[in-house]
Amino acid sequence: MESPAQRRLGAIKSHILPSATTEDDSFLRRNLTSSSHFFHGKQYSVVLPENLRSGKWNVYRSVRSPMKLLSRFDDHPEIGTLHDNFVHAVETYRDHKYLGTRIRVDGTVGEYKWMTYGEAATAREAIGSGLRYYGVEQGACIGLYFINRPEWLVVDHACAAYSYISVPLYDTLGPDAVKYVVNHSGIQAIFCVPQTLNNLLSFIALIPSVHLIVVVGGADEHLPLLPLTSGVKLISYSKLLGQGCSNLQSFCPPKPEDFATICYTSGTTGTPKDNLKLMDDLAALRPTIFCSVPRLYNRIYAGITNAVKTSGALKERLFKAAFDSKKQAIMNGRKASPIWDRLVFNKIREKLGGRVRFMASGASPLSPDVLDFLRVCFGCLVVEGYGMTETSCIITLMDGGDNLTGHVGSPLCGCEIKLVDVPEMNYTSDDEPYPRGEICVRGPIVFQGYYKDEVQTREVVDDDGWLHTGDIGLWLPGGRLKIIDRKKNIFKLAQGEYIAPEKVENVYAKCKFILQCFIYGDSLNSSLVAIVAVEPDVMRDWAASEGIQYNDLGQLCNDPRARNAVLAEMDNVGREAQLRGFEFAKAVTLVPEPFTEENGLLTPTFKIKRPQAKAYFAKTISNMYAELSTSDPIPEKML
């Protein structure tokens, strides 16, 4: 005789699998949470109970794999590690282009020079063998202390093939941070470039675990001599490559449960490009797949819309007619008339090389309007995803056939998601019409923990294996996830209202004047203030249209007329996005310089470093609140 738990499991299977009976279907309908919309329209997720005994249906999985979480590809079960994956790529695409670099000749940018998959595989075997030749044992940590370039990937592949642990050291880290990371992880070998080598040598005696430094792009005869007492061998990348080729060692690949990498900061290494150079790269490369962050997509959106507005009334009407017609066709699942592409959109597509067929956005929320705009203008599949370093990147992704925007898709097959109540923010999984709460993720994609930090690990991963992301989400019909707030980085205003600054900043990012925006508030004040790094070209065009004279951009930013114009535009954008009254910035300061990694205000994935920004702009923030205290004494909650 079946136990109650077995009967419940059978009901779940019958609900999910095609052989479900009418009786089982009705049972599941009675046991659904407030997500009763699950049975209406196209479904992207299935809802399951977290505990067979509790009866609460609150765990969402991909409709593509409802009965188990996948850690391998169904069609390639032999791929279980990064090494396995690269081996498969090399066997399949050996002579295909893999890593490209634009060659600079006499200070000019030339054509791309390519390394094939096969060439990269040969180099990674030589680098891994070279490390073994110098006595670096399996399981050792290898530091990568230079900007993105082909050698970065080659070394990372070598680490995967020979069971080393890669540790990125992005090139803008200061000496104290580098010393901490090297000593905390016990790095034994570091790959660097001549520029970062100088930093290393300035504190070489304070990183005793390092025995080998490999300089990428440097010649051996130009490398400094280190005293024998240092115990550190200093060689060029080319020398290590040659020695590895002469002393090839067999792979010693890791097991799936072994460490692959230790990340001490979000994002990847490298300094963000200047957008003009990036657009030039795109025109030359003509990519078919383009993945980026909202900051760049917002700039593309602003650039196109501003160009349309200044092109004359006739061209502006033509663009609007083409845009509305094509968008309507896309939303209805139809093919738009090719006339619009020929007349309008093909010219826009050429800005990215003319061949893009897939665009993806991540790192922070992308405005639905911008996503729709990209779909129409570039005529390709545009999707948004959601993930974090702690989940090996992607948690959810929009389905290719889903025309609804304003969400980040459904769970991938390697994880399951639930929403946990956050009572202090009035979010619960029983909210109507849609469940809301902190997004929690469980599955094989979740990281093993913070290195040598059990306390912090326990703070984010609970006893049942759920990773608490700090993001607030809600479930839309069909099992799509929408990010609506942030539990971390929230602050309370004087009247008791909670603010998620990233949400407000993402709204203001659509303002044509804004390159970047930092929103600040605290419990001592009743309103928000904003620091805005301006779009130089837009500001100059506005000043010209207003007949305003100025000597430099800094002077223009300090002009009260400019501040008023930007704040007015921010108010318009805020109203369109239906910000609540207390979410509007009541004062703004304009700055001509962008937030960057170099000035310590930006992470490599373009996220604002909030504590650093607060300290950096402390006097400016204080001045804005002083002005507000005399001009607007009415508490925000009374408005």
Side-chain angles (χ1 to χ4, degrees), residues 412-539:
L412 295 189
C413 297
C415 69
E416 55 189 357
I417 300 174
K418 71 172 181 178
L419 302 182
V420 173
D421 295 350
V422 186
E424 68 269 24
M425 298 179 73
N426 296 319
Y427 293 128
T428 77
S429 57
D430 295 319
D431 286 345
E432 296 288 352
Y434 309 124
R436 302 185 300 177
E438 181 182 8
I439 300 167
C440 294
V441 186
R442 185 169 67 178
I445 68 169
V446 174
F447 76 148
Q448 295 187 32
Y450 296 111
Y451 190 57
K452 296 181 181 179
D453 196 339
E454 186 62 29
V455 173
Q456 190 180 358
T457 300
R458 287 200 303 269
E459 288 178 358
V460 298
V461 182
D462 63 28
D463 292 339
D464 294 320
W466 289 101
L467 171 69
H468 293 246
T469 67
D471 292 311
I472 305 296
L474 66 76
W475 289 114
L476 291 173
R480 306 166 172 101
L481 184 67
K482 179 181 177 68
I483 311 295
I484 59 170
D485 214 331
R486 179 77 174 152
K487 185 178 179 183
K488 298 178 182 177
N489 294 333
I490 65 169
F491 50 75
K492 187 189 293 185
L493 295 177
Q495 67 272 30
E497 300 288 3
Y498 283 96
I499 296 290
E502 288 100 336
K503 169 193 172 183
V504 180
E505 288 162 358
N506 288 327
V507 168
Y508 286 145
K510 288 182 61 182
C511 177
K512 65 182 181 181
F513 292 106
I514 293 179
L515 174 63
Q516 296 155 306
C517 179
F518 170 58
I519 291 293
Y520 179 79
D522 57 42
S523 58
L524 300 177
N525 294 282
S526 61
S527 56
L528 302 178
V529 295
I531 308 289
V532 166
V534 298
E535 283 279 10
D537 292 340
V538 177
M539 288 299 296

Side-chain angles (χ1 to χ4, degrees), residues 155-171:
V155 175
D156 199 49
H157 285 310
C159 289
Y162 289 87
S163 290
Y164 297 127
I165 302 169
S166 64
V167 183
L169 299 163
Y170 69 93
D171 67 307

Side-chain angles (χ1 to χ4, degrees), residues 59-321:
V59 176
Y60 284 66
R61 288 185 177 182
S62 170
V63 74
R64 293 182 174 88
S65 183
M67 295 310 297
K68 71 173 182 178
L69 301 180
L70 302 182
S71 59
R72 300 186 179 228
F73 301 107
D74 276 339
D75 52 345
H76 289 287
E78 76 281 4
I79 299 177
T81 65
L82 294 173
H83 173 67
D84 297 336
N85 194 58
F86 188 61
V87 167
H88 170 75
V90 174
E91 291 174 347
T92 309
Y93 308 107
R94 175 169 291 276
D95 297 323
H96 289 233
K97 296 175 181 177
Y98 177 39
L99 302 174
T101 305
R102 295 189 78 178
I103 304 301
R104 296 182 180 272
V105 181
D106 298 328
T108 62
V109 179
E111 296 300 317
Y112 276 91
K113 179 181 179 181
W114 291 95
M115 178 182 285
T116 66
Y117 280 92
E119 290 168 340
T122 299
R124 72 86 149 79
E125 185 177 10
I127 292 298
S129 297
L131 290 172
R132 293 293 298 273
Y133 174 81
Y134 278 97
V136 183
E137 295 296 330
Q138 181 176 339
C141 287
I142 309 297
L144 295 94
Y145 190 24
F146 54 98
I147 63 173
N148 283 335
R149 54 187 294 169
E151 293 87 350
W152 205 105
L153 273 297
V154 170
V155 175
D156 199 49
H157 285 310
C159 289
Y162 289 87
S163 290
Y164 297 127
I165 302 169
S166 64
V167 183
L169 299 163
Y170 69 93
D171 67 307
T172 53
L173 277 178
D176 290 341
V178 173
K179 280 185 289 188
Y180 172 80
V181 171
V182 172
N183 290 326
H184 186 259
S185 59
I187 287 175
Q188 295 185 28
I190 295 182
F191 288 78
C192 65
V193 289
Q195 296 88 334
T196 53
L197 172 63
N198 294 329
N199 287 340
L200 285 176
L201 296 182
S202 69
F203 53 82
I204 190 69
L206 302 178
I207 47 175
S209 63
V210 176
H211 301 300
L212 178 67
I213 297 177
V214 183
V215 183
V216 179
D220 284 277
E221 59 270 22
H222 296 148
L223 297 181
L225 293 176
L226 300 183
L228 294 176
T229 55
S230 70
V232 178
K233 186 72 174 178
L234 181 61
I235 62 172
S236 69
Y237 179 87
S238 58
K239 182 174 181 178
L240 181 70
L241 197 67
Q243 290 172 324
C245 284
S246 301
N247 299 274
L248 290 179
Q249 302 287 315
S250 299
F251 293 143
C252 47
K255 299 183 289 294
E257 61 270 21
D258 291 340
F259 287 175
T261 187
I262 303 175
C263 293
Y264 284 83
T265 183
S266 62
T268 58
T269 64
T271 304
K273 277 183 171 285
D274 175 86
N275 283 299
L276 292 177
K277 291 182 180 179
L278 176 59
M279 299 307 290
D280 182 58
D281 285 346
L282 290 170
L285 182 63
R286 304 186 66 227
T288 56
I289 296 175
F290 184 65
C291 302
S292 192
V293 295
R295 179 188 177 194
L296 180 60
Y297 288 132
N298 288 338
R299 295 204 68 180
I300 292 173
Y301 169 85
I304 295 173
T305 54
N306 285 336
V308 169
K309 289 178 181 178
T310 58
S311 63
L314 181 60
K315 288 185 178 180
E316 186 175 2
R317 286 198 297 270
L318 176 63
F319 179 87
K320 187 177 186 309

